[in-house]
Amino acid sequence: MQKNIATHNSATNKMQQRYKQLYQKMLLIQAMLPTAPPDSLQKAALLHMELTVIDAMKRCSLTQQALTAYKLAACAVLEQAALRAGKLVKGLNLGTFSQTGANW
């Protein structure tokens, strides 16, 4: 379970760091936009970069971080349930089923 918590923290920390980096990049792009000549290749490139950064920021937003945390927690719960089910199956005496005539 500790491994799952570490995975969760690592994933959300990476997303937070990525978001901060993208935010800084966005600030730089927005600072450069007013200086670009209108209808220039530079302006078009900056606008494209801005849209690319916005899209990337959506992928590591707080909503996505929460969704990632939820998915990792759900996986951890399913993993624990599977491990317990495996122990339960191993604990059963499967020889009694063959004596009842059940075909498995």
Side-chain angles (χ1 to χ4, degrees):
M1 194 63 154
Q2 292 295 339
K3 180 181 175 186
N4 293 328
I5 293 170
T7 302
H8 166 266
N9 289 338
S10 175
T12 54
N13 285 342
K14 285 180 184 178
M15 291 175 85
Q16 289 170 355
Q17 289 301 317
R18 178 76 175 137
Y19 190 87
K20 288 177 185 177
Q21 290 171 345
L22 290 167
Y23 181 75
Q24 293 298 315
K25 189 173 186 177
M26 179 63 75
L27 291 176
L28 178 63
I29 292 168
Q30 289 176 344
M32 293 175 66
L33 268 171
T35 63
D39 299 325
S40 68
L41 186 58
Q42 180 186 8
K43 181 90 163 190
L46 287 169
L47 289 172
H48 176 73
M49 288 170 61
E50 182 180 44
L51 291 175
T52 303
V53 170
I54 289 171
D55 187 49
M57 288 175 82
K58 287 178 186 175
R59 289 192 301 270
C60 56
S61 67
L62 289 175
T63 304
Q64 287 298 327
Q65 291 176 35
L67 181 60
T68 300
Y70 171 78
K71 287 179 178 181
L72 288 170
C75 286
V77 169
L78 289 172
E79 179 184 35
Q80 290 301 314
L83 290 172
R84 288 185 182 128
K87 288 179 183 177
L88 178 65
V89 169
K90 285 182 182 179
L92 291 176
N93 184 356
L94 297 178
T96 59
F97 289 112
S98 61
Q99 293 174 358
T100 61
N103 294 327
W104 294 89

